[in-house]
Amino acid sequence: MHRGITTTLLHADRNGVVEHGAVHKPMHAAVAYGYRASRDLAAVFQGRQPGHVYGRQGNPTTAALEAKVSMLEDAVGTVCFATGMAAIGSMMLALLRRGDHVVASRYLFGNTASLIGTLAGIGIEVTLADATDVAAVEAAVRPNTRLVFVETIANPVTQVADLEGIGALCTARGIVYVVDNTMTTPALFRPRSVGASLVVNSLTKSICGHGNALGGAVSDTGLFDWSAYPNIAAPYRKGDPAGWGLQQIRKKGLRDLGATLGAEHAHRIAVGAETLVLRMERACANALQLAQWLQAQPGVACVHYPGLDSHPQHERAMRLFRRQGALLSFELDAAIDCFDFLDALDLVVKSSHLGDTRTLAIPVAHTIFFEMGPEQRRQMGIAESLIRLSVGIEDYDDLQADFAQALERTRGAASVPSAPVPVAQAGTR
Ligand SMILES: *Cc1c(COP(=O)(O)O)cnc(C)c1O
């Protein structure tokens, strides 16, 4: 019988071997796995028999989470990593060779953009293209293009990639299409539906959802024909070609680079994921209402949110995503200092994280996008006064009241005295 995704997730751990009736997959701390028969050990090593050999390459708790991410993404398999960046970096290094070409979105998570720069420095050719327009991506493709990398909704200006158009392009050209689904999560969108070959999720964000564990995942949708991919090494060209890409990512990426997700964090992420759909419903509803309200306030110059009619890719976001995300950004009138405004917020946490249960705000040009400099910020559409909000699941009225009082206090006034810092917080700076 076909069950809904939340039901499926909640009961997933009772489908396999259940220890003591436990409803959660237990946390397996062992690094080593012993076998009575040494031939079994050899068979597991050679991939002829399922099993675990050494904790860096995975353990049963992480494997249970990998199965859940595969269920969420409708994928044939998933490899988890210690962080989202570890997932992206390990995947790239496992699949690319010197002389290969990558087309990446010009609107990327800052650390991914930095990583792409590292690749360019080690002989992988890179072109950044405006991913909101498939024509720009197509114009960037070369005969040696192996991989196209885009995000669903970019952070912080919320550009929505031409996900369908780029999917059709990659399918026609036989290029690996990687979609970072972190901003939408599988609760709003499945990249498989637009032809993605691989799906990346930072599990740290909405999937874990509570800001208490780091993790990342690469899932294979089963749509790409790995038998046609030139960079699969001989040992991984075995069995069903559908599994070749992920096999190489697990061996060359996870095993050789070693950014392994530990069992305790895998457990926390799995527990968080149980409420992913509920949290996304609430956070996205809050984000939409707040975006609409902010847009109407004097003192607010503009609001970027794909759920607003004024958003350049509004129609696309409405068509592709169940809801339009929990992230928005806005610019204040020039007379209001963004730091003064942020300091006037009581409830909202000034923090760089996103996808948390709590609402978080950050002045992006001065923090997470500071390192890249004004020119690249301008190309990414990031204004110097831009404030990014990751909207949480608070009661909506409390959020609006906090923004209302902060606007009230800073509008017109050149600056306001900032609230005194509580002693406990001051000590942790
Ligand atoms: C946070 C984030 C990442 C990196 O994830 P970490 O778990 O922090 O390493 C990658 N892509 C996007 C879109 C993100 O928001």
Side-chain angles (χ1 to χ4, degrees), residues 119-144:
L119 294 180
I122 57 171
I124 293 163
E125 298 167 24
V126 173
T127 306
L128 298 182
D130 179 356
T132 64
D133 179 7
V134 65
V137 175
E138 186 160 19
V141 168
R142 301 175 191 170
N144 59 337

Side-chain angles (χ1 to χ4, degrees), residues 110 148 163 175 203 267 322 366 383:
V148 170
L163 294 158
I175 299 168
L203 305 172
H267 169 73
R322 276 184 58 200
H366 306 276

Side-chain angles (χ1 to χ4, degrees), residues 99-392:
D100 287 346
H101 178 240
V102 171
V103 179
S105 171
R106 189 199 292 162
Y107 315 114
L108 281 183
F109 175 67
N111 300 158
T112 307
S114 171
L115 170 72
I116 297 274
T118 303
L119 294 180
I122 57 171
I124 293 163
E125 298 167 24
V126 173
T127 306
L128 298 182
D130 179 356
T132 64
D133 179 7
V134 65
V137 175
E138 186 160 19
V141 168
R142 301 175 191 170
N144 59 337
T145 304
R146 297 273 172 258
L147 190 147
V148 170
F149 187 98
V150 303
E151 295 175 6
T152 52
I153 302 177
N155 152 25
V157 189
T158 73
Q159 297 95 339
V160 179
D162 187 350
L163 294 158
E164 286 172 305
I166 299 169
L169 171 71
C170 290
T171 303
R173 302 287 185 91
I175 299 168
V176 176
Y177 181 28
V178 187
V179 177
D180 183 334
N181 198 27
T182 302
M183 284 302 146
T184 27
T185 82
L188 306 186
F189 176 65
R190 278 175 165 165
R192 188 183 195 282
S193 67
V194 294
S197 322
L198 297 173
V199 183
V200 167
N201 279 286
S202 165
L203 305 172
T204 315
K205 311 288 173 51
S206 305
I207 291 182
C208 178
H210 298 74
N212 60 349
L214 293 153
V218 178
S219 303
D220 188 325
T221 61
L223 297 179
F224 187 78
D225 177 13
W226 293 103
S227 68
Y229 195 71
N231 296 346
I232 302 293
Y236 315 123
R237 293 185 164 272
K238 278 189 197 142
D240 182 358
W244 293 3
L246 216 53
Q247 241 186 112
Q248 181 151 312
I249 291 169
R250 188 179 289 282
K251 298 290 170 69
K252 295 270 178 197
L254 181 68
R255 183 197 63 190
D256 294 359
L257 295 169
T260 307
L261 178 66
E264 184 173 347
H265 277 203
H267 169 73
R268 289 186 201 174
I269 293 164
V271 173
E274 293 181 358
T275 55
L276 170 68
V277 174
L278 281 77
R279 286 182 285 103
M280 287 305 281
E281 292 281 325
R282 171 73 165 245
C284 296
N286 279 352
L288 175 62
Q289 208 175 340
L290 195 60
Q292 287 167 338
W293 180 82
L294 279 170
Q295 199 178 32
Q297 300 312 302
V300 176
C302 70
V303 180
H304 306 286
Y305 182 66
L308 296 176
D309 297 340
S310 55
H311 190 281
Q313 294 92 35
H314 174 65
E315 182 275 329
R316 180 183 290 161
M318 296 301 284
R319 187 161 38 83
L320 292 179
F321 310 144
R322 276 184 58 200
R323 287 176 179 273
Q324 285 62 52
L327 190 110
L328 64 93
S329 59
F330 63 98
E331 290 166 39
L332 295 164
D333 283 348
I336 307 177
D337 182 281
C338 67
F339 289 103
D340 290 342
F341 174 80
L342 286 167
D343 290 348
L345 291 167
D346 271 341
L347 182 66
V348 173
V349 186
K350 274 75 79 178
S351 168
S352 67
H353 182 42
L354 58 88
D356 199 280
T357 46
R358 298 152 193 83
T359 298
L360 314 173
I362 189 161
V364 287
H366 306 276
T367 55
I368 48 180
F369 288 92
F370 181 74
E371 186 181 295
M372 63 177 52
E375 178 50 32
Q376 201 178 341
R377 282 199 293 274
R378 199 186 53 73
Q379 284 188 12
M380 296 175 87
I382 301 170
E384 298 300 294
S385 66
L386 191 74
I387 293 175
R388 183 189 79 188
L389 290 184
S390 167
V391 181

